[in-house]
Amino acid sequence: MHQGRRPAVLLVMEVSRAPTSADLRRLLVWAGELLELSEDGAITTTLLRGAAEVVGSDTATVTHVDVRTRQEVAVLWPQARAVISKVGAYAELGHTHPLRPPALTATAERGRVLPVRISDVLTRPAWRRSALHVDAMPDIADQITLPLFRRDGVLHALTLGRHSGTFTDRQRDLLAEAGAHVRAALARVHAARTGLGGVGLQLAPHPRWVPLGVAPGVPADPGGGTGRSRAPGRPAAALSAREREVLELVAEGLTDAQVARRLGLRPATVSRHLHRLYGRNGVTNRAAAVLLLGASSGTRGRDVR
């Protein structure tokens, strides 16, 4: 047995406190919202934020992982987490994540898949000593992952994180109850591929923004790889010279204030440039806007390492 790993018997001996009536009411409301989910852009606002609010977490992520090539593309909440300069260490260490093996071997019990926590498989000291925690995820005290689909060596999962403490059995069971709704919603999004802002952050092997259509196991979208559907005859992207300068710096991971300093502008001016190009090009966030650089120049995207 690996040092620091919990005995497997402990995984089934803990007594679980059932979700409360208030928990289930929140779950029902969220399930109703998930029924309306059919666009890429709503993954963050409806699926991820909803999961964090219903279960109770500080972070939420949908990941698409090819375990053979180690390519991993994620959609993250809060979106402020998606800072390319901070994921370099994860690109090297993500394949060592302690939740990956149990997620790949999870089986359904009584019609549902039971999520697994870092605290189920590693003691707290062992997790805190791990290179993944020290170098790539120092702010994460515990994570819980719900496997959604496994096909041809590709894992799709919903993972929630806490900055302090561990996930309780009640939270685990609540996430398990939500599993069928989350799977159906994500399958619907994958089938439609018509949403705005269909972009993800490739965590490995090379951190960069990519259209979700190039994520492992996700069907290519009909918008030409820009992560958004495009009406027939519509120009791929409309960018002024100044907007292109702004987006090239945004693609490097700079904030509005940092972009403003580089270009000798006011932060409010940078924000206005971004919001104008959002509306003109039908995108809803910075990640989707960055892909316009590739769309306007005929490439599939921009490596922003």
Side-chain angles (χ1 to χ4, degrees):
M1 181 179 301
H2 295 292
Q3 186 177 10
R5 292 192 175 272
R6 292 189 183 279
V9 66
L10 291 184
L11 301 183
V12 296
M13 290 181 61
E14 296 177 355
V15 177
S16 174
R17 182 167 74 85
T20 66
S21 57
D23 291 333
L24 295 177
R25 282 195 297 270
R26 287 195 298 272
L27 176 58
L28 285 173
V29 171
W30 182 43
E33 294 171 350
L34 289 175
L35 285 174
E36 304 297 322
L37 182 65
S38 61
E39 296 183 346
D40 294 327
I43 291 177
T44 300
T45 56
T46 302
L47 196 159
L48 295 180
R49 184 171 64 188
E53 292 175 350
V54 170
V55 177
S57 69
D58 299 304
T59 67
T61 309
V62 167
T63 54
H64 311 281
V65 184
D66 188 322
V67 297
R68 298 160 301 187
T69 65
R70 296 183 180 175
Q71 183 192 16
E72 182 172 356
V73 175
V75 181
L76 303 98
W77 179 90
Q79 289 183 320
R81 297 170 54 213
V83 179
I84 291 172
S85 60
K86 295 183 178 180
V87 299
Y90 186 90
E92 299 296 326
L93 297 168
H95 67 282
T96 68
H97 200 299
L99 292 183
R100 191 161 298 181
L104 288 168
T105 58
T107 57
E109 297 180 11
R110 299 180 182 177
R112 66 178 188 174
V113 175
L114 198 63
V116 62
R117 302 161 288 197
I118 290 177
S119 53
D120 287 328
V121 297
L122 288 180
T123 63
R124 183 177 179 183
W127 166 240
R128 292 180 65 86
R129 288 195 305 267
S130 70
L132 183 65
H133 173 77
V134 172
D135 296 332
M137 299 167 58
D139 59 334
I140 295 297
D142 197 15
Q143 282 187 326
I144 184 170
T145 193
L146 173 68
L148 300 174
F149 312 105
R150 293 194 305 268
R151 298 192 187 105
D152 301 324
V154 175
L155 170 68
H156 307 267
L158 170 63
T159 302
L160 308 181
R162 291 179 60 103
H163 293 321
S164 63
T166 58
F167 285 99
T168 65
D169 289 356
R170 178 183 63 81
Q171 290 174 304
R172 178 199 62 193
D173 292 346
L174 193 59
L175 183 57
E177 291 296 333
H181 303 289
V182 174
R183 288 186 190 89
L186 197 61
R188 210 162 41 244
V189 170
H190 285 181
R193 301 299 298 128
T194 58
L196 298 179
V199 291
L201 180 58
Q202 179 170 285
L203 303 176
H206 305 300
R208 59 176 178 168
W209 296 110
V210 296
L212 281 178
V214 305
V218 176
D221 87 56
T226 63
R228 54 193 184 92
S229 61
R230 189 185 303 148
R234 177 179 176 178
L239 300 175
S240 69
R242 176 62 82 183
E243 288 168 348
R244 174 171 286 280
E245 287 180 321
V246 169
L247 276 185
E248 286 175 346
L249 294 175
V250 168
E252 295 177 11
L254 274 62
T255 65
D256 287 2
Q258 291 168 328
V259 172
R261 285 196 293 272
R262 287 276 194 97
L263 298 178
L265 303 173
R266 297 175 59 189
T269 302
V270 172
S271 296
R272 282 196 298 272
H273 280 304
L274 289 173
H275 283 95
R276 277 201 295 266
L277 70 88
Y278 286 178
R280 192 166 63 251
N281 292 282
V283 298
T284 57
N285 53 56
R286 297 166 80 88
V290 165
L291 293 180
L292 296 173
L293 290 169
S296 65
S297 63
T299 64
R300 284 185 60 84
R302 176 182 176 86
D303 190 320
V304 287
R305 285 175 284 169

